[in-house]
Structure formats: C-alpha cells, structure tokens
Amino acid sequence: MKNRLLLAVAVMAFATSAMGATPVTLKIQKGATTTPVSSQIGGAPITALEQDPAMSGGDADSGDGNDLGDKPVTNRSIAHGRAGVNRMGNAKRAKSSPELLGGFDGLNFHDQRYSNNGNQFSVEPPDQGLCAGNGFVLESVNDVLAIYDSSGHQLVGPVDLNTFYGYPAAINRSNGQYGPSITDPSCYYDASTKRWFQVVLTLDRIGTTSALAGTNHLDIAVSQTADPTGAWIVYQLPVQNNGTQGTPDHQCDLGFCLGDYPHIGADANAIFLTTNEFSFFGDGFYGSQIYAISKKALASWSAAVNVVLFNGGDPSIPAPAFTVWPAVSSGGQYAGAHGGTEYLLSSDAVFYDSGVSSTIWLWAVSNTQAIDSAPGTLALSVSSVGVQQYAVPSSLAHQKPGSTPLRDCFAVPGCAPNYLGYPNHVYPAPRDLAVNDSRMQQVSYANGKLWGTLDTDVLLGDGSHGSGINFFVINPNSGGLFANGTLSLPDANLTYGSAAVTQSGRGVIAFTVVGPNDYPSAGYASFDAKIGAGDVHLAAAGAGPWDGFTGIPYLGGDRPRWGDYGAASADGNTIWIASEYIAQTCTLAQYLTAPLFQCGGTRGALGNWATRVSAIGL
C-alpha cells in the first residue's frame, strides 16, 4: 500500500509539542431544508440486487483466494501485525445493574432494509450514531435514523437517510436508478446553541447509475431549534481534496481522495469533523483531516460558513494521523484556554509491524474564537502521551452456538439456490465476527479532563487471544494520566467501546460483549478518574448469534463485520448508550415462513443486527 504518512514516529516529551501544518480556509454554502418524516416499511423480502455494487466486499481483501464477491471501492484498512500484549482479562461481571434507568430496542436490520418501501440496500455493519438532549434521543445507523423521547417512545422513524438529506432513494426498484451512497452517520446535541448536528459521508454517482463519480462530501444537517423533529438545514462540505469544488489538492492516487469514517466534536466556537483520507479509486492512506466549522454560523443557518482545514498528512506533523477523534462536551463545558481550544486523540499501534504501542497522541486546535473573524489564525499542535501498552486485537470473536438461519440456508442442499439465489456453501456454526482494531473511539472533554477508549488485544482465560478495552483519563494541559488501564473479561470479548462523561466527571463505557458463552450483548461499565473502569454490566443480553451476510463469499467479502463504532451521550446526570447487539433468534423453518426471511418483522434475509439504547443514571 502506498502511504505518505510518517511511519517512523519519534516519541517526544509532552512539553515540546510540535506545531502542525498551515491551515487552509474554506467556505460552505447553505443548502435545502429538510424535516424528518417516518418512511413506509415494505418492499420485496429479497431482490436480485441486495447490496450496493459500489460498496460490496467489506474493508479489504484478505488475499487468501476465498473472496468470491466484489471488491470494495477502496481498501480502508491499514492495520499491520498483531502480536498481542499478554494481559489477562480481570474484570468482574456485575450481578445486577442498579444504575440502569431503562432501555429500549433501537433501529435494526429490518428497519434499515425495508425503509422507504424497500428502496434500500442490505447494509452491514450499522455504525452507531447517538445523541441526547432537551428530552430527546436521536439514533442514526447505516442508513436510517429515528427520534425518541426520553421514555423511549419513537416520535419519528425510521427515516431513510437518503430521504432525510433530500436525495433520491438509495435504489429505486421500480426503474433501477441509484441515489447517492450514504454511510458513517454520527450526531451531536450542542447544549450551548441548543442545536442538533447530524453528519454523514455521501458518495456521488455518475448520474443515476451505480458507478461512483469520485466526488464525496460530508453532509451536515443542523436543526432549526432544540426540537429535532422539526426543520433542519443541510450544508455540504466537499472532501475529495483534489482541487475541485474549492478543495485543496492532496494528490491522492487516481485523482480523488475519500473522506472516510467522519466523526464529530465541538468546543465553544466550532464544530469539528475529522476524516480518514484514503485514495478513492486507488491505493494509499493520506492522513486524517481535521475540519473546524463555525458553530455560530451553522446554528444560525448562515448563508456561508467559515471552515478551517488542517491536513494531518502534512510532513510537518510528527504524529501518524489516523482516526483523530474530536472531543464532545456535555452541558456546554468547554476548554477556554488559548482563545478557545478543541482537543482530539488518536492512537498509532496500527502503523507498526508488531501491532503494539505505548503511545497515544493529543491534538489541540487553539484560538477557535477567531473562526468567524480571522479563521487563518487557528493553530494546531500535537504531542505524545505515554500510556499502558495496547495492541491491535489479534483474532475474531467466537459466539455462543445458536440458531443461524441464513448460515443454515447456505448449508442445506437447495435452500440458498432456491430462496436466496446463491450456491450452497457450508460455514462453521456459528460464524465468528470481527472485533475492532486499535483506533481511537469516542472522546469526551469533561471536568477539565479528556476521556477516551480503544480496543486492545488481551489473553482470555483459556490462553486464546481476545479483545478488551484500553481506557485513559488525561490532563490535556500536562499530558499526565489520571487513570489508565484495560477492561477485559476472562471468558468474553469486549469490543467497540465508547465513553461519555458528565460535567462532574462520572462516566460510562458502552461496548458489545460476545464470546463462547455470550450471544452479542449490549454491555457497559462505570468510568471515573480515580478507579478507572468498574464491573461489566449487561444492559441487554443477546437473544441469539449474529447471522449476517458479511464474510460470506458472493455477498460480503472475507470479513464478518461488526461495528464500526458504538456511541454514548451525556445529558445532565444521565448517560445514554447505544451498542450493536442481537435482539432476536429464529429457526430456518421460521425464516422460510411468509413473509419470507423476516421472522415476524425482526430481521431481513441477509442480516439480524439490532441496537440497544439504554439510560444510565449517575
């Protein structure tokens, strides 16, 4: 793989923070308004075109000759060796969950596939976006959203994201025309402006064909008021960075960059969006991009909005910039030093052949108060922070055995050819699922500290490798650690950890629990600066194994996807968490009962993922 990013990283003392690249100033224009409206659920149970042809195949080809499906649009995996750190799981399973105020099942595969009267593709994984505030909870996944009140009553939804953002359907099954391809949703409620921000990555087509044009943009929807069920305005931020549409030219292979894996944060003055920049059509990773956008202008629906871009792939930056995650704040609590500062965190183990590191990177964008008057004066700095050793998880996660009708249909002679339109193929039962790599996950700024998590390799009790969660609480002024450790179980994987923290410094880490004795379940643990992470609780136990299409030849490439991220959101003294889990189970006979493949409206032909939204009182 071509890689312009610095791979030989010299670890420096915190006090010698290096200044980053010169910022590029841009402007984005106001687009159309939109209002979320529940879409009709329906359509054929399965069609000849279940996956977006431009996006099928997963993250990367294993090169083992077993991938019989289409290749993905780009290779978005950069993880190197996976050596492990030999840390044994040591957390306890809690016998009760007294802090759990309640919860409800959120969006699921059935909602996704059959929204907009079935003019959707089968999509896996869901990619969890969650935000909460002003008595509302907004959940968005690939490729639908829903809005709930704080009691869990669904007010609007599911709403397919193509319709919400004002585009034609993902696939119009009556005429075969394609709309833009939307992915990677995230959202944020900003208490200071009382506005909701919903962000996705949108890939343009060539006309209404399946072919991708190469142009891609972050669509930023901003609510008009503190009520997310009302009107929103949509802004488009082009991220192909090839000199077109006002973007700088980063010289990505074959002419177009891709703004992958966008995530959102904020300080008092700006909304921050970050992306992982890959070549769209070719090979190469070009460094994370950091976009600072005027919060005041977005919140007031201004006709033109200032944007400042820092290129994390610039050679002057000493850190390997991959998944540089911006911090979110609860209750309008922001860092005011140096004219307003936004902090971000990233990790670097994926860049080493060993897959192991003891360093994370602290990024800071300062003078954000000048975003409207003098945007070119914003400044970027980056410093290393020494932490407990972590490593890229080295294996897939085993599941507790149970009913897997999609897998069974492939195994039973004649079932897959007759019902699904694919050849028979026998897979292990149940199939393993993928855990996260060691990229940074959600970052919070609360009580004057930075809080973050990432997945790490651990040893399980039987001597096999598994996944745990490395957590840290950092003093952003000195780089010192208040807390740092690994949350892990001896008999199960913990993966896709996501932390949120109240203003007083009490937090929760949400994650998926999965192992030989656990169906994929929604879990959580307490999180504070003195004790670190507490016992493992289950917000909702899984009802059966994951039974999705990714990792099956002909369908989803070689990698059985799960994730790619969870979400957590602090609202006063309540923390809302959302994790992917499995909420249903059914037999092959039930799967083949009309309406086909839906098991009473709980799944689709090619997947059964679900999400669990829970409220934790602190």
Side-chain angles (χ1 to χ4, degrees):
M1 174 184 293
K2 299 175 185 176
N3 197 326
R4 295 172 55 202
L5 202 62
L6 295 174
L7 298 184
V9 181
V11 178
M12 56 190 174
F14 186 87
T16 59
S17 300
M19 299 308 294
T22 302
V24 174
T25 58
L26 311 166
K27 280 189 180 292
I28 54 174
Q29 308 298 316
K30 180 171 67 173
T33 58
T34 184
T35 301
V37 177
S38 300
S39 63
Q40 184 174 350
I41 301 294
I46 195 168
T47 70
L49 184 63
E50 279 299 308
Q51 298 172 74
D52 184 342
M55 299 299 291
S56 62
D59 269 355
D61 177 24
S62 66
D64 60 7
N66 291 326
D67 185 354
L68 305 181
D70 293 334
K71 298 298 182 288
V73 62
T74 185
N75 183 342
R76 296 179 288 169
S77 174
I78 65 172
H80 285 200
R82 301 182 176 190
V85 295
N86 298 320
R87 179 166 290 107
M88 189 71 72
N90 56 12
K92 296 179 180 179
R93 291 179 183 254
K95 295 181 179 180
S96 62
S97 300
E99 307 94 341
L100 188 63
L101 300 179
F104 55 91
D105 283 344
L107 295 163
N108 61 32
F109 188 96
H110 188 273
D111 296 329
Q112 141 60 34
R113 173 58 183 83
Y114 300 112
S115 286
N116 199 10
N117 205 30
N119 290 306
Q120 296 265 94
F121 292 110
S122 288
V123 178
E124 191 174 57
D127 295 353
Q128 179 59 247
L130 180 85
C131 47
N134 192 41
F136 298 94
V137 178
L138 190 156
E139 182 190 23
S140 54
V141 299
N142 288 328
D143 270 324
V144 286
L145 67 78
I147 301 170
Y148 308 88
D149 65 20
S150 57
S151 297
H153 300 121
Q154 190 175 92
L155 305 175
V156 182
V159 183
D160 68 286
L161 292 182
N162 278 64
T163 298
F164 175 72
Y165 281 98
Y167 295 118
I171 175 65
N172 187 324
R173 299 194 180 278
S174 66
N175 59 21
Q177 295 183 350
Y178 289 75
S181 182
I182 292 178
T183 188
D184 292 353
S186 60
C187 69
Y188 170 67
Y189 176 71
D190 186 72
S192 63
T193 60
K194 296 181 172 56
R195 296 293 185 272
W196 300 79
F197 298 86
Q198 165 76 21
V199 179
V200 294
L201 169 64
T202 300
L203 314 180
D204 294 326
R205 308 279 188 182
I206 298 177
T208 59
T209 71
S210 63
L212 295 176
T215 51
N216 59 112
H217 38 92
L218 302 184
D219 283 348
I220 310 160
V222 185
S223 68
Q224 186 175 36
T225 69
D227 182 351
T229 66
W232 299 60
I233 195 81
V234 178
Y235 293 86
Q236 270 190 11
L237 174 61
V239 292
Q240 65 265 17
N241 290 338
N242 64 350
T244 64
Q245 298 180 336
T247 64
D249 190 352
H250 290 173
Q251 300 291 311
C252 287
D253 189 29
L254 299 184
F256 291 87
C257 301
L258 172 72
D260 189 42
Y261 206 68
H263 286 290
I264 189 169
D267 80 336
N269 308 297
I271 294 295
F272 281 80
L273 302 178
T274 61
T275 65
N276 286 332
E277 186 164 274
F278 292 88
S279 169
F280 197 110
F281 294 117
D283 289 330
F285 174 60
Y286 291 78
S288 288
Q289 306 300 303
I290 302 172
Y291 297 89
I293 310 171
S294 170
K295 186 197 292 187
K296 178 181 177 181
L298 288 175
S300 61
W301 286 16
S302 295
V305 178
N306 284 348
V307 180
V308 177
L309 166 59
F310 292 96
N311 177 9
D314 189 286
S316 70
I317 294 179
F322 176 65
T323 310
V324 180
W325 202 301
V328 293
S329 301
S330 63
Q333 184 184 79
Y334 307 110
H338 310 294
T341 299
E342 168 69 0
Y343 294 108
L344 312 90
L345 294 174
S346 67
S347 62
D348 62 11
V350 296
F351 291 100
Y352 298 107
D353 289 339
S354 66
V356 176
S357 180
S358 297
T359 301
I360 62 173
W361 295 87
L362 171 60
W363 306 69
V365 177
S366 58
N367 199 33
T368 61
Q369 65 184 7
I371 185 72
D372 293 303
S373 59
T377 64
L378 271 67
L380 174 70
S381 62
V382 58
S383 300
S384 65
V385 176
V387 295
Q388 181 188 81
Q389 190 179 68
Y390 61 94
V392 180
S394 59
S395 63
L396 300 175
H398 301 312
Q399 299 187 83
K400 180 180 178 180
S403 182
T404 52
L406 173 61
R407 177 265 173 200
D408 296 344
C409 191
F410 271 97
V412 173
C415 185
N418 291 336
Y419 287 97
L420 301 176
Y422 297 101
N424 283 116
H425 194 99
V426 179
Y427 303 94
R431 294 185 295 131
D432 294 343
L433 57 84
V435 297
N436 200 6
D437 59 23
S438 62
R439 72 185 67 192
M440 188 64 58
Q441 296 295 277
Q442 184 170 306
V443 177
S444 295
Y445 178 80
N447 198 27
K449 304 174 180 68
L450 278 178
W451 312 67
T453 63
L454 53 81
D455 278 22
T456 184
D457 189 272
V458 297
L459 281 180
L460 301 179
D462 61 3
S464 65
H465 286 271
S467 175
I469 297 171
N470 189 263
F471 59 85
F472 28 80
V473 185
I474 302 168
N475 183 334
N477 300 309
S478 67
L481 293 171
F482 294 101
N484 180 210
T486 299
L487 176 67
S488 57
L489 288 173
D491 59 348
N493 295 272
L494 309 180
T495 189
Y496 293 102
S498 184
V501 186
T502 67
Q503 291 186 60
S504 63
R506 302 184 67 189
V508 171
I509 305 172
F511 42 80
T512 295
V513 181
V514 58
N517 303 310
D518 293 275
Y519 299 128
S521 303
Y524 70 95
S526 63
F527 186 26
D528 66 43
K530 294 182 178 180
I531 299 174
D535 293 342
V536 172
H537 299 254
L538 290 186
W546 164 76
D547 185 39
F549 69 87
T550 53
I552 295 180
Y554 320 105
L555 289 175
D558 67 289
R559 184 169 178 245
R561 302 291 298 280
W562 186 268
D564 292 313
Y565 46 89
S569 179
D571 182 17
N573 291 322
T574 299
I575 291 183
W576 290 90
I577 60 175
S579 296
E580 184 181 354
Y581 89 123
I582 299 299
Q584 62 82 238
T585 186
C586 67
T587 65
L588 179 59
Q590 292 170 321
Y591 179 74
L592 298 179
T593 299
L596 281 173
F597 316 126
Q598 297 178 54
C599 294
T602 63
R603 62 166 295 158
L606 302 185
N608 68 333
W609 57 256
T611 63
R612 183 71 179 181
V613 180
S614 304
I616 314 297
L618 298 177

